């Protein structure tokens, strides 16, 4: 009972304070409506706005998460589509370059007037300097048959020669492989010499007093054996080193990129005339 009286007294005091406060506001020219707006409506409006803003923030957060997930999925889909298109583009470029390569081979095939056979490179061992091609003894392939290539459809470049045959494949020793030898001549200055592979290029020993080779000269086959036809490009002079007072070592670099070769021509028969 005592407690209820104390609560009632507190309520009475609060009411008196509120009445006095409102009376004071009225004395300052503030109407009851203005006081009501300041003390009740504005706080309620701010509280309502706070909760509304909080709700909007939470809603926007979850919406952004959902949109983010959708964007991530869309981004992954686009990446997959780009990867697919890139793969198709590489395939089409591969077909294009192979078509160009075959056209070039057809061009030199028509100008050589030799019995040749088109074949594909199925393996390239750069370290040991050899190709594996997709024709063998069952196709009439024999050892020492030359292999050539063209990058422009008019120039024949020496790739190497067959050194081993199985029934369906053959091993081709490349021109720069160690111990590979071929008779060569400077296409513009003459002379007949032997070019020998060193694992990266070919070396030719030339009499310095007789031949004045310069960097950029092209050396070709001379056709002095029954293996290599004449006038096939072997390489271009990239270095000239002096061996002694009478000899220079001329370094020839092949003019074709062996990494890019996919198809070659095999010369099936050649006899020196």
């Amino acid at each position: 009972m005592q407690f209820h009286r104390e609560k009632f007294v507190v309520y009475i005091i609060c009411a008196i304070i509120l009445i006095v406060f409102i009376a004071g506001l009225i004395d300052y020219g503030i109407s009851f409506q203005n006081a009501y707006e300041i003390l009740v409506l504005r706080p309620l409006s701010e509280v309502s706005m706070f909760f509304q803003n909080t709700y909007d923030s939470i809603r926007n957060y979850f919406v952004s998460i959902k949109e983010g997930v959708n964007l991530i999925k869309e981004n992954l889909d686009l990446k997959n589509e780009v990867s697919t298109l890139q793969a198709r583009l590489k395939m089409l470029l591969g077909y294009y370059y192979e078509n160009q390569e075959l056209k070039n081979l057809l061009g030199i095939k028509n100008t050589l007037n030799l019995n040749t056979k088109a074949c594909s490179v199925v393996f390239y061992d750069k370290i040991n300097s050899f190709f594996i091609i997709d024709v063998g003894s069952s196709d009439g392939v024999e050892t020492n048959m030359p292999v050539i290539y063209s990058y422009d459809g008019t120039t024949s470049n020496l790739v190497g020669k067959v050194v081993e045959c199985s029934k369906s494949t053959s091993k081709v020793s490349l021109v720069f492989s160690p111990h590979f030898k071929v008779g060569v001549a400077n296409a513009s200055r003459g002379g007949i010499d032997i070019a020998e592979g060193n694992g990266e290029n070919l070396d030719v020993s030339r009499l310095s007093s007789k031949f004045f080779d310069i960097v950029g000269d092209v050396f070709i086959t001379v056709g002095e054996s029954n293996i290599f036809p004449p006038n096939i490009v072997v390489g271009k002079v990239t270095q000239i080193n002096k061996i002694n007072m009478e000899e220079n070592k001329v370094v020839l670099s092949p003019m074709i990129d062996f990494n890019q070769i996919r198809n070659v021509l095999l010369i099936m028969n050649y006899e020196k005339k």
Side-chain angles (χ1 to χ4, degrees):
M1 193 69 181
Q2 181 75 22
F3 176 74
H4 291 296
R5 287 181 192 161
E6 290 175 354
K7 282 179 66 177
F8 180 73
V9 171
V10 170
Y11 290 152
I12 293 296
I13 293 172
C14 290
I16 293 172
I17 292 173
L18 180 61
I19 292 170
V20 172
F21 179 73
I22 293 172
L25 291 176
I26 292 172
D27 288 339
Y28 280 99
I30 299 174
S31 66
F32 178 78
Q33 183 178 355
N34 291 336
Y36 177 72
E37 290 178 356
I38 294 171
L39 296 177
V40 179
L41 294 182
R42 186 172 297 175
L44 288 176
S45 176
E46 290 180 356
V47 170
S48 175
M49 187 175 295
F50 169 77
F51 283 111
Q52 183 65 40
N53 291 338
T54 302
Y55 169 77
D56 291 339
S57 298
I58 294 173
R59 180 178 176 276
N60 291 336
Y61 173 74
F62 285 105
V63 169
S64 64
I65 290 177
K66 183 178 179 181
E67 290 178 349
V69 171
N70 291 333
L71 285 174
I72 291 172
K73 184 179 181 301
E74 185 178 355
N75 188 44
L76 288 175
D77 291 341
L78 289 173
K79 283 184 177 180
N80 291 333
E81 186 175 352
V82 168
S83 298
T84 301
L85 291 174
Q86 287 176 338
R88 290 178 180 175
L89 178 60
K90 287 181 180 179
M91 183 175 66
L92 291 174
L93 284 174
Y95 289 147
Y96 170 77
Y97 290 129
E98 185 172 15
N99 185 51
Q100 289 296 113
E101 194 173 58
L102 292 172
K103 282 184 178 179
N104 292 335
L105 293 178
L106 181 61
I108 60 170
K109 178 182 176 70
N110 293 333
T111 59
L112 284 176
N113 196 27
L114 293 169
N115 182 19
T116 59
K117 187 176 186 64
C119 47
S120 299
V121 176
V122 295
F123 180 72
Y124 172 33
D125 188 331
K126 185 176 182 180
I127 296 175
N128 297 300
S129 310
F130 70 84
F131 276 166
I132 300 295
I133 55 177
D134 64 347
V135 291
S137 58
S138 62
D139 303 290
V141 180
E142 298 177 359
T143 57
N144 288 329
M145 285 183 172
V147 178
I148 59 175
Y149 179 79
S150 178
Y151 57 84
D152 59 4
T154 57
T155 306
S156 300
N157 295 82
L158 186 62
V159 172
K161 67 177 182 178
V162 175
V163 291
E164 294 179 21
C165 290
S166 68
K167 186 176 180 180
S168 58
T169 60
S170 300
K171 180 179 179 180
V172 178
S173 181
L174 304 180
V175 290
F176 57 84
S177 62
H179 312 303
F180 186 98
K181 295 181 180 181
V182 57
V184 295
N186 189 317
S188 57
R189 305 175 199 280
I192 297 176
D193 294 279
I194 299 296
E196 185 172 355
N198 61 21
E200 293 182 0
N201 299 294
L202 298 98
D203 296 329
V204 184
S205 294
R206 300 267 283 175
L207 291 174
S208 57
S209 59
K210 188 175 181 180
F211 302 107
F212 299 97
D213 305 302
I214 62 173
V215 172
D217 282 351
V218 174
F219 277 67
I220 58 176
T221 57
V222 292
E224 288 298 313
S225 68
N226 286 328
I227 298 177
F228 303 104
N231 302 319
I232 296 176
V233 174
V234 175
K236 180 171 64 176
V237 177
T238 53
Q239 292 182 47
I240 300 176
N241 303 315
K242 200 165 191 63
I243 299 175
N244 51 48
M245 293 296 293
E246 296 182 352
E247 286 185 292
N248 288 335
K249 183 176 76 172
V250 178
V251 179
L252 305 179
S253 295
M255 297 173 64
I256 49 179
D257 184 356
F258 290 86
N259 289 294
Q260 300 297 322
I261 296 177
R262 301 180 185 181
N263 299 279
V264 292
L265 275 184
L266 184 65
I267 297 177
M268 300 297 290
N269 63 339
Y270 167 72
E271 291 184 5
K272 178 184 173 184
K273 297 180 181 179

